[in-house]
Amino acid sequence: MKQIYLDNQATTMVDPEVFSAMEPWLKYQFGNAASRNHIFGWAAEEAVEIARELIADFIGVNPNEIIFTSGATEANNLAIQGAALNASSNKKHIITLKTEHKAVLDICDYLEKNGFSITRLPVNKEGMIDLALIEKSIKKETLLVSVMHVNNEIGVIQPIKDIGKLCKAKGILFHVDAAQSVGKLPINVESFDIDLLSISAHKFYGPKGVGALYVRRKNPRVSLSPLLYGGGHERGLRSGTLPVHQIVGMGKACQIAARVMEDETKRISSLRDQLLQGIEEDVSHCNVNGSMKHRLAGNLNMSFPGTQNEAVIAAVPEIAISSGAACTTSTMEPSHVLLALGLSKEMAYSSLRFGIGRFNTKQDIDTAVEVISRCMKKLQFRS
Ligand SMILES: *Cc1c(COP(=O)(O)O)cnc(C)c1O
């Protein structure tokens, strides 16, 4: 059976064009980008710098402000821990949201055990943060505000530009986890007043195991402490031999996104509308979680009262969907994001996430509507 992939917030397929760009760097061009004495090294270094420029251009920053990491988890760690370790002793307060990714929340938990105070702000029932709440929570000890651009479970887009403006006015560092938005929404770090921004290649048709942290170098110059010590790569912020093929792949993914983003967003958003309308027509008991107005085109998250998401997922093997974040799934706890929206545990357990991406077709959505409708007729309110 061919499975239709509708879990594009968990990860995406590597674009064939990305794969082709990576291939030579695995086959013949295997030099170490830090080797200074021969053409293998020079070629690798040049490829890394070309990719760094593509990535920097894509988010409107200087190439020397891009630090390569293993992904957004590491970028989030480097941003938040790196800023905390480097902070003066009177800056011990961090503000974030209850709906952040675990890669932000878990670092904050760790820092809290080590003398920092953390404010985890609630969101409204649409999943949106109220700017006034952030403003009220700022104290003179506040070091950093960390807010994700797009939520990985409900696709909700936070007002990053307004938060950036507020942080800038108060002289507080602003970190954005942009793992779900880079390559899908226009981002301009300068006009959004962002100081630190996390990127993950595998969320936008690049390879797994590579990402980047943007670190602002002027107005203000942001200083971080490294998490890893070694050869002093990446301006001392991230030691370790650079994975040239991965970095080339991420650069190519940015180049493609810059070219197709606008049309792709329209196409994916019409597929999402088709999915939502189809489900709403055929299934009488269902609701959408999170704002439909401020939402990523490819995301739909819905509750189906009277069902258990694990049972539904098992009953629709034709489509690959998820009950929430891939990492939350393994712990079998109800989604912390849906609970923060005010859903009961039962409602959270009845929720499904559909993630539509570049390689989905209208036909895929027809099939998804059909199998979900058929499954709900069988399962809903029957257990
Ligand atoms: C996927 C994701 C991460 C983790 O990224 P990795 O590159 O897989 O480590 C962090 N934050 C958000 C919002 C994500 O969607």
Side-chain angles (χ1 to χ4, degrees):
M1 177 183 47
K2 178 184 167 275
Q3 251 210 339
I4 293 169
Y5 188 73
L6 285 174
D7 201 9
N8 284 279
Q9 270 89 59
T11 193
T12 57
M13 187 178 110
V14 171
D15 191 296
E17 217 184 303
V18 168
F19 180 78
S20 301
M22 291 173 68
E23 210 176 350
W25 301 99
L26 284 160
K27 279 185 169 166
Y28 336 99
Q29 304 269 40
F30 52 81
N32 185 326
S35 291
R36 288 287 147 85
N37 302 317
H38 47 68
I39 192 156
F40 294 89
W42 303 331
E45 189 193 11
E46 191 187 359
V48 166
E49 294 316 316
I50 291 171
R52 200 190 299 276
E53 243 177 76
L54 288 170
I55 297 158
D57 275 358
F58 188 50
I59 59 170
V61 305
N62 214 300
N64 66 11
E65 297 175 304
I66 297 291
I67 304 297
F68 290 115
T69 65
S70 62
T73 299
E74 188 189 333
N76 288 345
N77 272 270
L78 179 56
I80 300 173
Q81 280 200 63
L85 291 175
N86 195 71
S88 57
S89 56
N90 61 342
K91 291 279 188 184
K92 291 265 180 191
H93 177 233
I94 293 173
I95 300 172
T96 189
L97 307 189
K98 287 187 173 168
T99 49
E100 291 296 309
H101 193 274
K102 291 289 181 186
V104 164
L105 293 175
D106 288 359
I107 308 158
C108 289
D109 291 352
Y110 168 77
L111 290 173
E112 194 170 43
K113 290 194 193 103
N114 287 275
F116 283 79
S117 82
I118 311 290
T119 301
R120 299 168 187 82
L121 293 174
V123 293
N124 67 16
K125 64 183 196 322
E126 302 264 87
M128 302 289 293
I129 182 66
D130 176 0
L131 197 65
L133 264 186
I134 299 183
E135 190 160 12
K136 258 192 278 175
S137 314
I138 292 174
K139 316 180 210 179
K140 67 176 189 310
E141 303 82 44
T142 306
L143 166 70
L144 174 92
V145 172
S146 178
V147 175
M148 69 204 319
H149 193 185
V150 169
N151 185 276
N152 51 301
E153 293 191 37
I154 54 177
V156 162
I157 304 168
Q158 298 296 354
I160 290 305
K161 193 174 174 164
D162 298 337
I163 302 170
K165 205 168 154 193
L166 173 66
C167 291
K168 179 132 199 143
K170 304 264 182 189
I172 295 165
L173 292 177
F174 182 35
H175 167 247
V176 176
D177 177 350
Q180 292 289 345
S181 61
V182 169
K184 293 161 202 165
L185 292 177
I187 294 178
N188 187 296
V189 162
E190 210 45 61
S191 67
F192 290 6
D193 290 318
I194 294 167
D195 298 310
L196 296 154
L197 178 117
S198 303
I199 305 177
S200 176
H202 76 93
K203 300 289 173 65
F204 65 110
Y205 315 100
K208 292 166 189 61
V210 67
L213 180 67
Y214 155 76
V215 183
R216 178 178 287 280
R217 290 198 82 178
K218 32 176 223 272
N219 312 315
R221 183 188 181 89
V222 177
S223 302
L224 301 176
S225 295
L227 306 179
L228 303 178
Y229 293 87
H233 308 71
E234 300 296 279
R235 301 192 357 246
L237 279 179
R238 209 288 191 168
S239 287
T241 302
L242 292 175
V244 178
H245 60 296
Q246 305 284 77
I247 289 169
V248 167
M250 180 159 59
K252 180 53 85 175
C254 286
Q255 200 179 30
I256 299 170
R259 192 177 75 216
V260 305
M261 190 157 66
E262 223 180 294
D263 292 338
E264 185 166 274
T265 301
K266 285 182 198 141
R267 195 181 71 83
I268 289 177
S269 116
S270 86
L271 292 178
R272 199 261 320 273
D273 294 346
Q274 181 196 342
L275 180 62
L276 176 58
Q277 279 160 20
I279 291 175
E280 281 183 332
E281 262 167 43
D282 290 356
V283 182
S284 39
H285 302 281
C286 61
N287 1 328
V288 174
N289 298 316
S291 166
M292 277 306 288
K293 187 165 163 231
H294 305 281
R295 196 185 196 99
L296 187 74
N299 174 278
L300 191 60
N301 188 309
M302 297 181 80
S303 298
F304 297 91
T307 67
Q308 289 256 343
N309 49 24
E310 296 301 329
V312 174
I313 289 167
V316 293
E318 300 91 335
I319 56 174
I321 52 173
S322 112
S323 56
C327 356
T328 317
T329 313
S330 60
T331 61
M332 289 299 286
E333 276 167 17
S335 150
H336 70 283
V337 173
L338 297 178
L339 296 183
L341 262 53
L343 268 69
S344 66
K345 275 191 175 187
E346 285 71 32
M347 282 298 250
Y349 276 127
S350 82
S351 301
L352 297 172
R353 179 181 70 181
F354 303 87
I356 302 166
R358 179 172 295 167
F359 303 105
N360 288 122
T361 61
K362 253 178 130 293
Q363 180 61 49
D364 291 349
I365 305 300
D366 288 338
T367 306
V369 170
E370 197 184 301
V371 299
I372 288 290
S373 308
R374 187 168 6 107
C375 167
M376 291 303 163
K377 283 190 182 90
K378 253 192 258 164
L379 289 186
Q380 210 166 20
F381 301 114
R382 293 291 163 84
S383 53

